[in-house]
Amino acid sequence: MTINRRHFLGAAAATAAVAGAPAIAGQAKPKVVVIGGGPGGATVARYVAKDSKGAIDVTLVEPTRKYYTCFFSNLYLGGLRDLASIGHTYGNLAAKYGINIVHDYAVGVDRDKKTVTLASGSVLPYDRLVLSPGIDFIKGSVPGWDVSAQNEMPHAYKAGSQTELLRAQIDAMPKGGVFAMVAPPNPYRCPPGPYERVSMVAFRLKQINPTAKIMIFDPKPKFSKMALFQEGWQNHYSGMIEWIGPDFGGDKVEVRPDAMEVVVDGEVNKVDVCNVIPAMRNGRICDIAGVSDGRWSPVVPATLQSRMDENIHVLGDSAAQGDMPKSGFSANSQAKVCAMAIRHALLGDKAFPPKFANTCWSALAECDGVKVGATYKATPEKIAKVTGFISKTGEPADVRCQTYKEAWGWYDSITQDMFG
Amino acid sequence: MTGLGRNPVITLLAATGIVGSLFFADGVVASETGGDPEKGTKVFARECGTCHKVGPEARNGIGPHLNGLFGRRAGSLEGFRYSKAMREAGENGLVWEFETLDLFIENPRSVVKGTRMSYRGLKDADKRRHLLAFLRQFSDNPRDIPEAAPTLPEGPGFQVPESVLKMEGDPAYGEYLASECFTCHSKDGSDNGISPIIGWPPEDFVVALYAYKTGYRKHPVMEMIARSLGDEEIAALAAYLATLQPSE
């Protein structure tokens, strides 16, 4: 790989100007290691590699060879997308941008030596490390459930085989059977996600099993786009969906995976499918790296640097950054700001004021979509919401259909932006 | 109208004037933070706490409780008896956000004429910032409910081009244009239920009209009028109206 004149000069200037960039002093290219190949990790890897034009050596560590996006996995449950259409590989990132793709688990981080150890035993040195591991589940958050029960009661909150399993269970429900969802407490990945899922399950059941019922057990008194979802459920799936909030025991739920029972405040409900979405926390690698404070990893808003180690950045769901919801869109947005901060630190490239945005589309039915979005800016304390919008209840069908189609366009664009 | 303090838009501009962010070489952004909630706790206790309660146990008292205030339509809390003026303000589109609350707390009756809240107003912009930062903690968190109200003042959501502020308006043209204004606004500067507009410093007038033009200040008629006016016309009106003095 060649270093062009601009970057060579940039690097030379940076050596003079930027303290603490030792890799530049020698001949070796600065190294960035990214852990996690989702919307945060894939995007930051691609932008650092693309915009540094080979002046930074980028390695992306991701265990799976095929990445299934969580976003749009609900549309697969609804029968509106096939699974293959939400699966992506890392071929372009390697071929077009020269990123080293390593399919392995990161199991250790040595912050003093600045190295990452992989399950295979390999050791990767870094100048900057980016952690974008998504979420893990909090043990014991739903009594009676742990990951060993995920085949009986799938979470399907990391897309792929779990999503496929949940879809198969929905399709195999007896006529007039019950689909139960145990919804998660705040904060969690994709605030409208569980409720879009309910919409899509209802959409599927309406066609193949119209007398089936859906019960949602929710510890939260209120959720994102609540009025829009409730209106949509009334319009499309009247009488099918029952939402049980904390006033009716939605916060006192225990599950019995072997018996397929959900016990709500002492009362036993027999169910046919049970989608348990447990409480969430940052990915385990954040604890291993020692950059967690409680369940999340606090970051400097303008650069996504860990508050505990300036050579480590944390992106997406795992980051405690402030007001941005944990979503693929947010992670992608943060990744671009982070990539700029990394190039600035390692090459002396210009950094512009950071800007963040998020939009969450949700499908209520085929050709009925709603959205919520906002822009954010970095203050010293947090990424703060500045302004936003949300779809209105009672919108005409053509507006909703346009929103639905817009989401499909967004899917194509963001996956291009992630995977090249 | 003499001091800037009388004009809420101008005061707001001053209050949030530090919104523009500074970008340092090391990539760290220093920007407006919107107040210190801890300091706001004290302001709340001193200024509001007698009548208003906030927090998990808060109930309506002399005034409505202030949980979930941000993003709420004015006068819309169930179980509280508001003044007619407050209910109507809500029906006309007043929603509590940083900007509207800031104006209201500064001078309640200038925003909701006829409100029953007997409070003189808090003139200190910093104290209002702290107070609002404190109160914001008791409304939904955008991380969990993305549509929840912002947690940072947007600042002046409009900008007046420097060139327009410097423009020398033609008072004669302004006099002609002002005939439209006096269909509603009093000519002698008295408050007939519609804000007086004469004797303003020209710059204040330009900013106020831009606030309507951009929809930042809400009023259906004034938004429509302001949008119909070009920069030269606004400058001319500002120049002419500044020459008129209220009769005592």
Side-chain angles (χ1 to χ4, degrees), chain A residues 186-187 191 222-225 322-325 344 351-354 372 377-379 381-382 385-386 390, chain B residues 19 23 25-33 140-152 154:
Chain A
N186 289 325
K222 191 174 175 184
F223 56 84
S224 177
K225 301 178 186 165
D323 289 349
M324 296 184 84
H344 176 71
F352 298 97
V372 59
K377 75 177 188 184
T379 73
E381 291 80 30
K382 64 173 183 176
K385 175 171 171 178
V386 181
I390 181 167
Chain B
V19 153
F23 199 69
D26 60 356
V28 175
V29 162
S31 65
E32 164 70 342
T33 61
D140 289 335
N141 181 343
R143 180 197 61 190
D144 302 325
I145 309 269
E147 61 268 33
T151 62
L152 193 67
E154 195 178 350

Side-chain angles (χ1 to χ4, degrees), chain A residues 270-313:
Chain A
K270 211 53 195 149
V271 302
D272 298 290
V273 176
C274 188
N275 175 204
V276 175
I277 309 175
M280 297 174 203
R281 51 158 302 155
N282 57 4
R284 220 168 71 81
I285 191 69
C286 296
D287 275 5
I288 292 171
V291 294
S292 302
D293 179 14
R295 287 170 175 168
W296 307 99
S297 296
V299 294
V300 177
T303 59
L304 284 306
Q305 275 163 301
S306 162
R307 297 253 189 213
M308 288 140 192
D309 187 335
E310 60 177 9
N311 297 313
I312 298 180
H313 300 248

